[in-house]
């Protein structure tokens, strides 16, 4: 059934994280806070809550806190983030902590390779009996990702070997051979982790195991029914899952993945599964799997994605609902799911290099991912609503603490998303002042970006080369930009001729000191949602460059945000304000609201449209809301014609 | 603390249910369906689900279904509805069934007067130990209301005596004397029931007990903490209630009722409590209690009421949230709560005769109550959203089946809401073709209404009298009407002179054959919500007379309702269509929607406002939606200016 095809000749590969530096005034301070505040904060939370201690395997029945079967994954994601930070910013103290945690995790491995604190201590008799709910392979996946990141950051195989042994153990338990369990995890994650383990070790068994988990999913007989029957007791989620109308759709096991064409169920699970599918489609040149990825991509970004890149609109299933069902106040848009969309988009981008994937990656990073963490790095949004009457605020931690370390590991590895390279081609996806070192046509190439992106749209690239070399430089032309312009060494380029699939492509013999200027005009744009998005009918949002803006109560105290309409066609001005939110471009323009004079206090309704008054409004980037006084916020505002 | 004041001299009293007939083409068919379909259907459901059988007290541990502690109330409400129907429409077969159920209920009474199937059979050792959650006094209240209705309908004291003995038992258990429990119910209901029992029996002890329950609520020491400590085990709602942020606010026991000024918690509980407070304020001329009622009224109708009269916007607590928090798609607006608002409004109206209470009563009856039951009388809405993408539909019954019998008993007693009488004054609150018999200034007075209300606003009253008599006739001038006109025997009346507090008042010596013509113009009105109602900013609704309209998918198949905007200022026409929904006035006008041509399939967002196209739309009364093909519905539509 699988048709192997060659990967495209010009296939791009991700660049190593350490090949890129980011030295801008947008991301660099956030990445520093991520290293200096978020990662230590997350470690402290893991320690305080017993998650670190659990790896000592000292818990005994009756002791509090009782470990939870999620816990290993939180520590693993923290460790992965810590390793990424270590890779870009070596620090002896930080490294010592990483090594202590690595040693602690290694010490919890059982003699057969098994490594899960919960099922070693709390329910040892239930190992591998509740794949649907107990997150056992999910935790394994995160440990594997941590092992790969630790190896990449330090060159030390300590944890890589540990997780390889664990993966070997898992490979013995699961599969299609006689005596093996035909299972897969109720929370996808191990699939993409095994692909990474294959990339790090070169061992094809891990890719095979990833393929098995992906392809076995949703086949008949249905494994989660088989395991429930064998177990004879409710799963760990018990009644909760039984109340889910369809737990198979919840975890994307309702049909074989190659047949899926609709994003359903829990959104983080979906994003991780689709990421693994894209990995395997690329590794195997698997056209059928690729086609499934394309269908799912089109469904997710075309019908289920918020303007902010958030996906999974419903709290009830932490996931997908109907097409275009994108309510604002109740938007779930879990931070982890938006991180997952970045992971998936990055993989899709490496399948065919189309800028539309990078557009989504950028949309999610600058908006729905970054909103997940406060400016001080110590408070987090789990859900990311697009409107709030004032009740939504970041929290220091969560009982189910998936989001904080997820955003931490993504930010710590941001450099890896900036560019990709092929044999003789570099592609720049994200613009941020800094530099990158690539290897193109066998030569070391330095590319320096000078820009104030995303505050300004001008980006200058300086090429650093030992000797002249021919390669293609592809620069992304963001989907949000309506009039890009490009000069090479001062000479204007004809984008109609050199742009394709979202990138300008300049192939030439480059010499040291060559200079490329990309100009991405950034007017304030009024955004309209597809008419099928019922929640946004009659509404408008503001965007400038990649940043979605919002009105926040603290900036608009005189006129409550929930009452504010935007007059059609009235202009907005953009200006950088150094003292606002650490330095941001603020949008200023006119808002309007209905008079309440004509209302009888007896009833909040009246006939005939009340008069309108206009007043100044200020908008700030959505990703930075709730960093000042608590209050309300709104992205989509009703539009009104004056006069 | 309580200051007794005289009730106002011109205080109105409700008219007996049997004094009013309704013979119109709006309500009369619905009341017939209520008698012939809903009441038998509800009985069948009570029988099928074991609710009737429970009164045989034959359940033993292990048998299925296990009775629920709600069940008695469902049967009691059914019986109350059945008795109301019997009062207005005697029927031997129906009466025989009523008597069988009465006998069955009587047979379940214990020798000490106690009468609760659940706590007699299922948990006899836990009688009166969980007032917060177990609805024990709530069930008693509904039995009492049934007993009063049975007595009124048949003149037989069978059930009245049974519930009086039960009330005597309750009066022994609860109170402030030594050895008594200082408790009250977690779900208010018994308070208003005891007032009715007092009215039916003349026994002051029942009014005293009602007063005790109302005034004890929310005092210190806090009873629900006391009983939990004494019991030592979780309440019947256990974890659910513990997860409620504040269960005291949930059941309005967070402070003494006289100090309350904000509607909080479960909305049905609140409406029943406030109804009892209004009853006692009237019975006792209690100014402090009256002041609390006024404050709560202003809060509920001024800041928490949907255009349809629905109250309690949140499903999470089935109740009240923040001021002006009136989301449309997720509107809970439980049918029972809207019934409760009618009960309360009717009582407030009898406190001071102001038309604003009748306005709310009418708003709720014609919209949010009537929406609770299908045209065929066999399907029910529990929640009454003001917008649906197609997922909300009436159901045949509910596990928690409070709403169907509640709407059945309210409709079966509708005549009692039409008018009130004082010593020499009649007040007509609701317009519906039919007649009423009143006693004014010692004379029998017949008032005949001729009207096609609510389809047309002309109402003609014909006075029938044995001899000339002086009395005042007050006719409500609905708050929705902007230009009422009045003639007496053809002579125009100066409403500026004779109208006050929502009624035109004509005091004169009336003679047989006098004729009063009230003209209430009913243009199609565009309604705007108070600017604080965030969900409706930029939106408009349509109303004609007392009826709120909606767009339903089945009428607007060519242009999905969720995409539809209403062009500002475009006219709507109203025309009666005999073939639509059993005969309704349909509104027709123009809608508009954004083109989707300009959208890239890759992402559901674009810059610049898409073009608008216009098309015809049809609107039908909200109360009748979801009676044809299932589909979407919307009351509040975004308004847009064309051109």
């Amino acid at each position: 059934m699988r048709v192997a095809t060659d990967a495209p000749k010009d296939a791009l590969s991700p660049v190593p994280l350490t090949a890129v530096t980011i030295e801008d005034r947008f991301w660099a301070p956030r990445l520093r806070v991520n290293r200096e505040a978020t990662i230590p904060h997350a470690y402290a939370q893991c320690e305080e809550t017993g998650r670190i201690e659990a790896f000592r395997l000292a818990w005994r029945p009756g002791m509090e806190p009782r470990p939870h079967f999620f816990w290993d994954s939180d520590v693993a994601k923290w460790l992965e983030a810590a390793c990424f930070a270590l890779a870009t910013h070596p620090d002896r103290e930080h490294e010592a902590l990483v090594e202590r945690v690595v040693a602690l995790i290694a010490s919890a491995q059982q003699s057969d390779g098994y490594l899960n604190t919960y099922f070693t201590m709390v329910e040892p008799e239930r190992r591998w009996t509740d794949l649907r709910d107990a997150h056992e392979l999910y935790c394994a996946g995160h440990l594997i990702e941590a092992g790969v990141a630790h190896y990449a950051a330090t060159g030390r195989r300590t944890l890589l070997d540990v997780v390889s042994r664990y993966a070997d153990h898992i490979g013995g338990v699961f599969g299609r051979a006689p005596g093996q369990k035909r299972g897969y995890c109720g929370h996808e994650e191990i699939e993409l982790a095994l692909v990474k383990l294959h990339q790090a070790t070169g061992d094809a068994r891990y890719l095979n195991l990833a393929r098995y988990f992906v392809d076995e999913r949703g086949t008949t007989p249905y494994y989660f029914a088989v395991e429930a029957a064998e177990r004879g007791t409710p799963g760990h989620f018990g009644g909760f899952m039984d109340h889910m109308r369809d737990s198979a759709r919840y975890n994307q096991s309702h049909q074989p993945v190659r047949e899926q064409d609709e994003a359903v169920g829990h959104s983080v699970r979906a994003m991780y599964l689709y990421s693994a599918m894209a990995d395997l489609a690329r590794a195997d040149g698997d056209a059928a799997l690729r086609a499934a990825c394309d269908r799912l991509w089109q469904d997710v970004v075309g019908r289920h994605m918020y303007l902010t890149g958030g996906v999974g609109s419903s709290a009830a299933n932490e996931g997908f609902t109907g097409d275009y069902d994108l309510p604002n106040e109740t938007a779930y848009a879990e931070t982890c799911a938006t991180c997952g969309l970045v992971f998936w988009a990055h993989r899709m981008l490496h399948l065919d290099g189309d800028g539309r994937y990078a557009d989504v990656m950028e949309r999610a990073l600058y908006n729905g991912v970054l909103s997940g963490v406060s400016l001080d790095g110590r408070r987090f949004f789990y859900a990311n609503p697009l409107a709030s009457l004032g009740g939504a605020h970041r929290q220091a931690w969560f009982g189910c603490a998936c989001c904080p370390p997820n955003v931490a590991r993504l930010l710590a590895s941001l450099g890896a998303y900036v560019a990709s390279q092929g044999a003789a081609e570099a592609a720049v996806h994200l613009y941020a002042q800094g530099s990158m070192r690539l290897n193109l046509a066998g030569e070391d190439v330095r590319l320096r970006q000078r820009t104030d992106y995303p505050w300004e749209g001008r980006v200058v690239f300086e090429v650093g080369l030992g000797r002249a070399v021919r390669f293609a430089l592809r620069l992304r032309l963001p989907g949000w930009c309506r009039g890009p312009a490009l000069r090479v060494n001062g000479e204007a380029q004809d984008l109609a001729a050199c742009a394709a699939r979202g990138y300008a492509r300049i192939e030439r013999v480059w010499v040291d000191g060559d200079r490329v200027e990309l100009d991405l005009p950034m007017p304030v744009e009024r955004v309209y949602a597809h008419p099928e998005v019922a929640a946004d009918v009659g509404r408008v949002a503001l965007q400038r460059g990649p940043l979605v803006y919002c009105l926040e109560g603290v900036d608009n105290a005189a006129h409550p945000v929930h009452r504010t309409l935007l007059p059609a066609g009235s202009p907005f001005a953009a200006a950088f304000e150094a003292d606002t939110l650490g330095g941001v471009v603020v949008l200023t323009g006119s808002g309007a609201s209905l008079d309440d004079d004509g209302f009888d206090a007896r009833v909040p309704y009246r006939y005939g449209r009340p008069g309108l008054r206009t007043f100044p409004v200020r908008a700030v980037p959505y990703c930075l809301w709730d960093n000042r006084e608590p209050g309300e916020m709104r992205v989509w505002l009703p539009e009104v014609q004056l006069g």
Side-chain angles (χ1 to χ4, degrees), chain A:
Chain A
M1 197 162 92
R2 187 178 313 144
V3 182
T5 58
D6 285 339
K9 289 266 187 326
D10 60 348
L12 293 169
S13 297
V15 295
L17 170 56
T18 48
V20 177
T21 66
I22 294 173
E23 298 149 17
D24 69 338
R25 59 176 176 166
F26 183 87
W27 287 113
R30 303 302 295 270
L31 304 191
R32 184 177 53 72
V33 165
N34 189 49
R35 293 189 303 273
E36 297 178 2
T38 305
I39 292 175
H41 172 85
Y43 182 77
Q45 291 286 348
C46 282
E47 197 163 47
E48 278 170 29
T49 55
R51 284 163 164 83
I52 301 292
E53 174 67 21
F55 282 96
R56 298 192 201 286
L57 302 183
W59 183 87
R60 294 295 173 271
M63 290 167 66
E64 289 296 335
R66 184 173 184 263
H68 192 281
F69 54 73
F70 292 149
W71 278 9
D72 291 0
S73 69
D74 297 328
V75 175
K77 278 195 289 191
W78 171 83
L79 181 57
E80 191 187 1
C83 290
F84 290 148
L86 196 58
T88 58
H89 293 78
D91 175 289
R92 293 182 64 149
E93 198 178 330
H94 181 54
E95 186 167 1
L97 175 62
V98 161
E99 293 305 327
R100 282 201 302 279
V101 174
V102 164
L104 184 61
I105 292 173
S107 76
Q109 188 162 40
Q110 303 298 293
S111 56
D112 59 358
Y114 187 77
L115 211 185
N116 179 299
T117 64
Y118 180 86
F119 284 101
T120 298
M121 294 187 289
V122 183
E123 296 194 288
E125 73 290 357
R126 295 188 69 183
R127 210 197 254 196
W128 305 131
T129 60
D130 184 12
L131 295 190
R132 189 190 72 174
D133 298 353
H135 288 61
E136 209 167 355
L137 288 166
Y138 166 88
C139 287
H142 279 302
L143 286 169
I144 291 168
E145 286 199 271
V148 171
H150 180 246
Y151 173 60
T154 66
R156 286 189 283 271
R157 303 189 65 99
T158 355
L159 191 58
L160 189 68
D161 288 344
V162 165
V163 300
S164 296
R165 277 201 306 280
Y166 189 14
D168 296 341
H169 173 81
I170 291 167
V173 174
F174 295 97
R176 299 194 183 91
Q180 286 187 307
K181 288 176 187 283
R182 291 285 288 260
Y184 43 86
C185 194
H187 194 316
E188 302 92 322
E189 152 63 22
I190 189 153
E191 302 83 355
L192 71 83
L194 287 166
V195 174
K196 284 190 176 179
L197 186 60
H198 162 251
Q199 289 163 349
T201 62
D203 191 330
R205 291 178 308 155
Y206 304 133
L207 197 63
N208 291 340
L209 189 56
R211 247 186 238 119
Y212 158 78
F213 281 133
V214 166
D215 279 332
E216 190 65 19
R217 190 166 209 90
T219 57
T220 310
Y222 183 54
Y223 184 74
F224 296 138
V226 171
E227 75 164 7
E230 283 178 358
R231 192 178 58 232
T233 58
H236 282 79
F237 283 165
F240 173 71
M241 271 293 180
D242 299 339
H243 277 91
M244 285 278 161
R245 263 197 301 237
D246 188 343
S247 70
R249 287 169 67 89
Y250 177 73
N251 61 35
Q252 298 87 35
S253 63
H254 57 300
Q255 60 185 162
V257 300
R258 288 159 189 278
E259 297 170 20
Q260 297 188 17
D261 50 18
E262 185 194 359
V264 298
H266 187 265
S267 53
V268 181
R269 285 169 164 80
M271 293 300 108
Y272 288 6
L273 169 64
Y274 305 159
S275 294
M277 288 165 64
D279 277 337
L280 291 171
R282 181 168 191 268
D284 296 340
D286 184 331
L289 204 51
R290 164 72 193 273
C293 288
D294 288 346
R295 293 192 305 269
L296 291 164
W297 178 269
Q298 183 51 42
D299 191 53
V300 169
V301 306
R303 291 182 285 274
H304 296 280
M305 183 180 69
Y306 283 100
L307 186 61
T308 56
V311 291
S313 59
S314 168
N317 64 345
E318 298 195 311
F320 292 102
T321 59
D323 287 353
Y324 301 104
D325 178 28
L326 296 165
N328 292 303
E329 284 81 354
T330 59
Y332 201 65
E334 183 181 336
T335 303
C336 281
T338 315
C339 292
L341 180 60
V342 172
F343 302 152
W344 184 29
H346 195 227
R347 285 162 170 85
M348 294 299 285
L349 182 57
H350 288 89
L351 269 175
D352 77 355
D354 195 304
R356 65 186 166 143
Y357 304 114
D359 279 350
V360 168
M361 194 171 82
E362 183 184 62
R363 180 190 295 278
L365 280 169
Y366 277 91
N367 299 289
V369 167
L370 198 52
S371 62
V373 57
S374 64
L375 270 176
D376 73 2
R378 291 187 178 88
R379 297 182 73 81
F380 307 90
F381 274 132
Y382 197 109
N384 294 272
L386 277 75
S388 168
L389 287 168
H393 301 293
R394 293 189 188 81
Q395 297 176 40
W397 197 246
F398 307 94
C400 174
C402 49
C403 296
N406 224 350
V407 72
R409 68 180 180 141
L410 177 49
L411 292 183
S413 59
L414 186 68
Y417 295 85
V418 169
S420 303
Q421 59 186 7
E425 179 171 285
V428 181
H429 314 305
L430 300 179
Y431 300 116
Q433 178 145 308
S435 61
M436 58 193 92
R437 287 175 294 103
L438 307 171
N439 190 284
L440 298 171
E443 288 295 313
D444 283 337
V445 179
R446 274 176 299 109
L447 269 184
R448 178 145 192 86
Q449 287 195 52
R450 295 191 186 281
T451 180
D452 195 19
Y453 196 94
W455 306 127
E456 297 300 335
R458 183 178 152 83
V459 192
V460 176
F461 287 89
E462 294 166 359
V463 180
L465 278 170
R467 64 173 184 84
V469 60
R470 183 172 193 88
F471 64 86
L473 178 63
R474 293 177 66 201
L475 300 180
R476 183 169 147 263
L477 303 174
W480 55 257
C481 182
R482 298 207 266 191
L486 186 69
R487 291 173 178 270
V488 177
N489 294 330
E491 188 180 334
Q493 305 292 304
D494 177 9
L495 283 176
C498 74
R501 300 168 78 226
Y503 289 82
R505 185 174 191 276
I506 316 146
E507 182 170 356
R508 55 183 279 152
V509 177
W510 296 90
V511 299
D512 189 56
D514 276 347
R515 181 182 166 92
V516 179
E517 296 169 56
L518 180 64
D519 192 43
L520 303 169
M522 284 186 178
V524 180
E525 298 279 7
R526 284 176 181 252
V527 186
Y528 294 79
H530 191 282
E532 281 295 316
V533 182
D536 298 335
V537 171
R539 292 176 181 263
V540 61
L542 299 171
Q543 184 173 336
R544 181 172 178 274
L547 292 167
V548 173
Y549 276 70
C550 68
L551 265 60
E552 225 189 325
V554 61
D555 292 311
N556 298 281
H559 298 274
V561 173
H562 62 269
R563 296 175 64 146
T564 300
L565 304 100
L566 286 192
S570 72
F572 269 82
F576 191 84
E577 293 186 6
D579 295 338
T580 301
L581 289 162
V584 295
V585 168
V586 172
L587 308 187
T588 52
S590 276
S593 86
L594 297 183
D595 286 333
D596 46 7
D597 301 345
F599 285 87
D600 184 337
R602 292 172 169 196
V603 57
Y605 307 102
R606 59 163 274 183
Y607 293 161
R609 187 165 133 182
L612 281 168
R613 66 185 75 180
T614 61
F615 44 85
V617 295
R618 285 164 60 84
V620 297
Y622 168 79
C623 59
L624 292 169
W625 89 277
D626 195 38
N627 273 297
R628 294 169 295 173
E629 265 180 54
E632 54 177 343
M633 180 279 295
R634 207 158 279 258
V635 170
W636 291 98
L637 295 156
E639 193 173 46
V640 67
Q641 285 86 350
L642 295 179

